[in-house]
Amino acid sequence: MRYFVLIFVASSLLFSCHRSKLPPIPPEVVTESTVNDTDDPAIWVNAKNPAQSIVFGTDKETNGAIYAFDLNGKIIGDKTIRNIKRPNNVDIEYGFQLNDSTTTDILVFTERERKQIRLFSVPDMKALDGGGFPVFQDATATGHDLPMGISLYKSPKDSTVYAIVGRKSGPQTDYIHQYALRSDSVGVKAQLVRTFGTFSGQKEIEAIAVDDALGWVYYADEGVCIRKYYAEPSMGNSEVSCFGGEYFLEDIEGIAIATYNNGKGHIIVSNQQKGEFNIFSRESNEFLKAVNLSTMETDGCEVVTVPLNDTFSSGLFVAMNDEKNFYFYDLKKVLPDCLTNADCETR
């Protein structure tokens, strides 16, 4: 018993030494709890009534779900997708072309245990994928066919929507697969258009985020750096940069991109074991500062820069918290005064 107590005290001291010393910033809203293990959020902005926007969040287990929350953090039962086999990451895109006359907003997520990605319309939550799109079908090694991270990219060139997907483990090259989502008279299909992406082999790659307007895809090689590539397939597969690793204690986790019409903005990344979020310039990718948002062991995060309601008048930042819930923040608390960047304009 004495040995156990000594181990517990030592581990507690070590954990406390790693925790942020920055002043904690409390959230405006803490969501209702999920059943299993929260992981990654996505925000759907209701263009007609922003106050009716929805935050989606994955609950990661064999009996998992994609939970839907209102802006008060309450679960929306009829928008929640249940009986999902270990969903990991989730993303939203707007204006997906279903046919010549119909567009819809879409939600996509990875379903790891079924080795596929899922696609639903938003906000009516209808499946558009015939049960799912298989991914990493060329994998031969154990774990190389288990999808984890995902982000959507809508090309400014021709409005094609792509799903950019990572996996639980994979090779040192071509770790990421990019699929074009195309709709015809039969339905929606996912077509593999390229493989790319370096992996250090040290931990894993989960967090993926895309800057549609500037055409960049970022992903976290968790033990090394944030890797940056072109999102447009025609621009090639060469790595543009590998940055930020020195500012993280251990795992580099969730990535959110705050964008503004003038091209300014910020990349917000979870420094998981430190209990902080590191903020980088969207333009130069230089480190700007860290903030302590009071969360524990954050995996995924997401941000929008449009006003939603009186509580989130500057935009909304959502972070997963390791107590089966998500934290919602008014964006001005995460990016006070846009970090003194006077020309940050609300998108």
Side-chain angles (χ1 to χ4, degrees), residues 8-19:
F8 176 78
V9 170
S11 61
S12 297
L13 288 172
L14 181 62
F15 179 78
S16 64
C17 287
H18 286 170
R19 295 298 297 176

Side-chain angles (χ1 to χ4, degrees), residues 15-317:
F15 179 78
S16 64
C17 287
H18 286 170
R19 295 298 297 176
S20 176
K21 302 300 190 296
L22 297 173
I25 300 170
E28 273 66 41
V29 170
V30 176
T31 68
E32 294 181 329
S33 296
T34 67
V35 173
N36 302 296
D37 179 22
T38 50
D39 193 84
D40 186 54
I43 305 167
W44 175 72
V45 176
N46 186 327
K48 294 181 179 178
N49 185 356
Q52 297 299 313
S53 297
I54 302 172
V55 176
F56 294 96
T58 60
D59 188 40
K60 185 177 62 176
E61 191 47 84
T62 294
N63 63 327
I66 309 298
Y67 279 81
F69 302 94
D70 64 23
L71 295 184
N72 294 313
K74 304 299 183 183
I75 295 169
I76 309 172
D78 63 350
K79 305 295 184 187
T80 294
I81 308 169
R82 301 187 185 275
N83 301 313
I84 303 300
K85 299 294 186 182
R86 201 173 184 87
N88 259 104
N89 286 32
V90 61
D91 200 17
I92 293 284
E93 189 56 85
Y94 299 89
F96 177 72
Q97 197 77 40
L98 280 177
N99 54 51
D100 290 343
S101 60
T102 306
T103 62
T104 183
D105 300 338
I106 56 173
L107 174 146
V108 66
F109 58 90
T110 53
E111 188 175 20
R112 192 199 302 182
E113 291 181 6
R114 288 195 171 114
K115 303 178 181 180
Q116 64 181 8
I117 61 174
R118 300 298 314 274
L119 177 68
F120 285 75
S121 59
V122 180
D124 51 357
M125 311 313 297
K126 293 181 179 178
L128 301 175
D129 55 15
F133 302 128
V135 290
F136 303 114
Q137 291 181 288
D138 60 346
T140 56
T142 301
H144 287 200
D145 57 354
L146 302 176
M148 285 184 68
I150 192 166
S151 190
L152 293 173
Y153 167 58
K154 187 175 185 180
S155 171
K157 293 176 60 176
D158 59 9
S159 297
T160 299
V161 175
Y162 298 93
I164 299 175
V165 190
R167 36 188 160 173
K168 177 64 177 174
S169 59
Q172 292 188 332
T173 59
D174 296 328
Y175 195 99
I176 306 293
H177 283 194
Q178 184 164 346
Y179 299 85
L181 302 177
R182 305 187 192 279
S183 182
D184 58 25
S185 58
V186 178
V188 182
K189 298 180 177 63
Q191 177 189 2
L192 179 65
V193 295
R194 70 162 174 165
T195 62
F196 69 100
T198 298
F199 174 45
S200 65
Q202 292 191 21
K203 292 193 175 182
E204 61 187 24
I205 293 168
E206 181 176 6
I208 304 173
V210 176
D211 188 329
D212 279 13
L214 299 185
W216 301 121
V217 55
Y218 299 90
Y219 65 85
D221 193 340
E222 289 187 6
V224 179
C225 66
I226 302 159
R227 298 190 185 273
K228 180 179 182 180
Y229 286 79
Y230 289 104
E232 195 67 43
S234 63
M235 295 296 290
N237 297 337
S238 297
E239 184 170 276
V240 176
S241 64
C242 175
F243 67 93
E246 66 271 27
Y247 298 102
F248 293 85
L249 177 62
E250 290 183 35
D251 292 354
I252 306 169
E253 287 285 350
I255 304 172
I257 305 174
T259 64
Y260 298 90
N261 281 339
N262 58 4
K264 307 288 185 181
H266 302 92
I267 301 171
I268 308 167
V269 188
S270 171
N271 188 357
Q272 188 181 66
Q273 282 74 28
K274 191 70 178 290
E276 295 178 353
F277 291 82
N278 288 332
I279 300 172
F280 299 84
S281 164
R282 181 188 178 204
E283 298 166 280
S284 66
N285 298 156
E286 67 176 315
F287 174 77
L288 299 175
K289 67 178 292 184
V291 293
N292 174 6
L293 298 183
S294 311
T295 57
M296 295 189 299
E297 297 285 317
T298 296
D299 285 314
C301 56
E302 187 56 287
V303 63
V304 295
T305 57
V306 293
L308 300 181
N309 60 14
D310 290 343
T311 304
F312 305 108
S313 59
S314 299
L316 170 63
F317 181 78

